[in-house]
Amino acid sequence: MNTFYALWGVKTPEEAMSQIEKQRKDAGITAPKNLEEQAISLVGKDIYEILIKGYTEKQWGRKCTELPAFIIQRLPVRFTFNNNYFNDIYQGIPVGGYNPLINGLLSGVETKCNTDFFANREYFERIADKTVFTGKIDEFYNYRFGKLEYRTVRWETEVLDCENYQGNAVVNYTEREISHTRVIEHKHFEFGAQPQTVVSKEYPSEWQAGSEPMYPVNDEKNNALYQQYKRLADDEPAVLFGGRLAEYKYYDMDEIIENVGGL
Ligand SMILES: Cc1cc2nc3c(=O)[nH]c(=O)nc-3n(C[C@H](O)[C@H](O)[C@H](O)COP(=O)(O)OP(=O)(O)OC[C@H]3O[C@@H](n4cnc5c(N)ncnc54)[C@H](O)[C@@H]3O)c2cc1C
């Protein structure tokens, strides 16, 4: 509602809803041909142009008119003055960040870091009855059907000589003209009171060998390719394929933790 007020000066959910409804009708899109048309048909032109277009094009490195409509099934719009991005009851990160949590979970478990499964595949397959594989599924099968596409991001980090740079842990930049998508100010995750501040600008790009694959590109072409690999994986009783790279699916942290129970 704060956004709708800033956009249109509306103060009640009813006014905001009727503004969106009017823009949806004005657009007159019945069968969206691409992501742009789909988004406008869901939330109207203003929200699409100010909040979705530039951010999506930066994130995916593709124009919204060239992205398929089905990527966006729905665009959640919330008519409350609560500025939280998610509706979850509990939101946050573990005290001290994720390292203490992971260290605790793995305490007493033999762990090897910086060890590529593929560099010594035969050895790892020999020592285990069951393997949980969380790497790239196409690489697991030596790319036999072709390469899946992934997106990645890189960060430019700097220490600034001010106490508080942006007043929040994350600020999103939705406009196309600014090439980073987000600025992270790390101290705000744990209410830091240091005299200086560390800030990371996030730049999305296409994944290439040597960088870390982060997001699957779940368009029609890649999903079809993934299904070919999945058919092989379903027939692999000694290996459990889990996570965003092995299941070629976007997961948030809470979803991935829940998903582990199903493995
Ligand atoms: C920039 C960014 C921001 C995010 N922000 C949020 C957020 O705010 N909230 C939220 O809920 N989620 C967020 N996520 C999503 C979150 O990171 C994922 O949900 C979570 O990490 C998925 O867990 P996973 O086990 O599927 O994959 P990963 O955490 O990627 O684990 C896969 C593991 O497999 C290892 N691996 C891969 N290949 C090999 C190999 N060949 N040999 C050995 N090891 C290998 C990798 O090193 C990695 O440790 C974010 C993700 C990114 C990229």
Side-chain angles (χ1 to χ4, degrees):
M1 284 304 299
N2 290 308
T3 306
F4 300 140
Y5 175 68
L7 271 178
W8 304 313
V10 295
K11 291 183 182 158
T12 65
E14 200 183 350
E15 288 172 318
M17 280 180 218
S18 72
Q19 184 62 246
I20 291 176
E21 209 36 53
K22 179 180 177 306
Q23 294 201 6
R24 293 180 49 184
K25 280 216 183 87
D26 287 352
I29 299 166
T30 44
K33 290 192 292 294
N34 52 49
L35 190 145
E36 174 167 297
E37 292 188 1
Q38 172 80 337
I40 293 173
S41 74
L42 289 169
V43 290
K45 199 162 174 275
D46 284 354
I47 297 175
Y48 166 69
E49 283 182 351
I50 292 167
L51 294 173
I52 298 167
K53 184 175 192 290
Y55 196 85
T56 307
E57 293 188 345
K58 284 191 282 188
Q59 188 76 0
W60 294 104
R62 292 155 175 83
K63 287 200 165 135
C64 285
T65 47
E66 289 159 13
L67 286 165
F70 74 86
I71 291 183
I72 297 186
Q73 301 294 345
R74 47 188 282 277
L75 281 168
V77 177
R78 213 172 36 172
F79 298 93
T80 75
F81 282 94
N82 172 358
N83 264 351
N84 267 339
Y85 185 62
F86 296 104
N87 280 327
D88 304 72
I89 302 170
Y90 302 107
Q91 299 184 46
I93 59 166
V95 175
Y98 278 96
N99 284 358
L101 175 81
I102 302 291
N103 288 346
L105 287 171
L106 292 177
S107 128
V109 178
E110 187 191 348
T111 308
K112 290 190 165 89
C113 292
N114 302 316
T115 306
D116 183 2
F117 172 80
F118 298 110
N120 214 344
R121 181 175 187 153
E122 274 173 28
Y123 165 75
F124 289 117
E125 284 177 339
R126 202 171 52 241
I127 59 167
D129 294 333
K130 204 114 185 162
T131 301
V132 176
F133 179 77
T134 58
K136 290 165 68 230
I137 190 168
D138 53 349
E139 192 175 6
F140 187 91
Y141 290 108
N142 294 319
Y143 305 106
R144 77 172 72 161
F145 300 126
K147 286 191 175 173
L148 289 165
E149 289 173 297
Y150 297 86
R151 298 285 294 168
T152 189
V153 300
R154 76 181 162 82
W155 289 276
E156 278 178 14
T157 296
E158 49 189 329
V159 180
L160 300 179
D161 241 339
C162 70
E163 205 186 312
N164 188 355
Y165 174 69
Q166 62 183 14
N168 206 6
V170 185
V171 173
N172 285 21
Y173 287 80
T174 58
E175 55 271 70
R176 188 75 186 88
E177 297 71 35
I178 297 177
S179 54
H180 50 270
T181 41
R182 303 199 289 189
V183 175
I184 320 288
E185 187 173 11
H186 302 268
K187 69 177 354 173
H188 294 300
F189 285 113
E190 293 217 44
F191 314 105
Q194 303 84 348
Q196 290 177 306
T197 194
V198 182
V199 164
S200 299
K201 288 183 180 150
E202 194 172 295
Y203 296 87
S205 64
E206 205 74 30
W207 174 79
Q208 283 166 346
S211 61
E212 190 183 340
M214 293 184 185
Y215 305 107
V217 180
N218 287 113
D219 60 12
E220 224 157 339
K221 180 185 79 178
N222 283 289
N223 282 346
L225 183 55
Y226 165 69
Q227 285 304 327
Q228 287 184 273
Y229 286 116
K230 186 177 182 304
R231 277 194 282 279
L232 298 180
D234 286 343
D235 217 14
E236 201 95 50
V239 184
L240 298 170
F241 292 82
R244 56 185 166 152
L245 305 177
E247 292 177 73
Y248 202 64
K249 182 167 185 266
Y250 183 81
Y251 281 116
D252 274 328
M253 289 301 290
D254 55 323
E255 295 168 325
I256 196 65
I257 289 165
E258 200 174 356
N259 188 260
V260 171
L263 275 182

